[in-house]
Amino acid sequence: MTDTILCVDIGTSSLKAALLPDNLRAGEIFVSRQYFSEEAVVENRVAEEWLPCLKAAVAELTAKNPDYAVEAVCVSGNGPTVVTDDGTTLLYNQLFVNGGRGQAGNLSAQKKLALKNTKSLFIPRFCGFKLNFPFSWNDSAHIFGAPEFLIHELTGESVAILPEERFLPAYWNEDELKKCGFSEDDCKKFPGFVKAGNFVGKVSASAAIATGLLEGTLVFAGAPDFVVALIGTGTVFPGRLCDRAGTSEGLNLCTSKPVFAEGLRTLPSVVSGLWNVSYLINSSQSLRGHRETSLCENPSHGENPSVNSVASVRKFDELSHGINLLREAALSYGEYFPDFMTITGGQALNESLVAQKEAACGIKIKKMPCGDAELLGDLILARVGLGDYDDITEAVFAILG
């Protein structure tokens, strides 16, 4: 039997999972995708489907990989999603029922201002959740993110995952929560932080029955999908560039120091002392939809190739612009810029699209052993958590090369 990590990533429309050995090139990697019902998403109860989806994924993966044994589980997911104990879910991309960021009910002017000015990505979501789902909020002992809720379902343990200390302003602390109108009792609902890759607990007896996993299987904290994708593409060394290309798309460059330029966003890397500079491609969804349609174009269906061609050129122009902007900014700060980039996400599965991107942008594109690099990031974090490697960079070098 080959020991593997069951790597699980919770998306907005599906749960993805794979059994990954250290040697990623030992055989074909099979990814199980379990889609959530539209009804559950719309009715804000999609978290109720995560455990059944995991059960279905485990059954499919074990049938496809009879010689693989699950050594441990690592869970990542989208954010800033908010989930309460009863499974009520406000996905990160869902609007509040009665408005957006800054709705503050009967808060004082001072607390409304604090809410408006907070750097936290989560606190406005917490506020919106509390106002829109007051009964779930008040009856819940815990407030979770997406991966943390599934981890709780598996182990009974309550944690919040912090990728790295420098991310804290984008998360929360008790002082910030109180400034924004949350009570002492509210603050008790938020679990303590653990680092990405930390051991959290073991699969409980009830979770083993619910999923088909063995009771006592070790469970590790993953990270937000954005972070595990960067780990899984190896974008944790200065000069590494990746294209996160799914429904949304962004270019990400790892640097040794903060790099700033108009149109770019600079955030800490999950690796202490390093940074991530990104460029968001706003037209990605149109590009993805256009290319998937054009592969099966049929004039009888009313397609207009000339219109599609113009749209395609515009989208590739934006991608090329992002690459050039990152290159110019990096070089101006004395940072190295590579002659290739990795790609992950749904667009990575489209061979024709990848080839067109290469031709249009003049940069070599390297595909990963698994198109869903979030799962590779989970593998790396679990192996670090198990003590097989000293840190993320060593694990990335050993596993991805």
Side-chain angles (χ1 to χ4, degrees), residues 7-28:
C7 301
V8 182
D9 185 71
I10 302 168
T12 53
S13 61
S14 68
L15 178 148
K16 297 175 292 189
L19 294 173
L20 298 181
D22 270 8
N23 183 1
L24 295 172
R25 292 165 179 81
E28 183 178 358

Side-chain angles (χ1 to χ4, degrees), residues 148-159 199-207 217-220:
E148 292 94 336
F149 179 80
L150 183 55
I151 288 171
H152 179 72
E153 293 281 278
L154 290 173
T155 66
E157 300 294 332
S158 303
V159 299
F199 168 70
V200 177
K202 298 179 179 180
V203 172
S204 66
S206 60
T217 302
L218 305 180
V219 179
F220 291 85

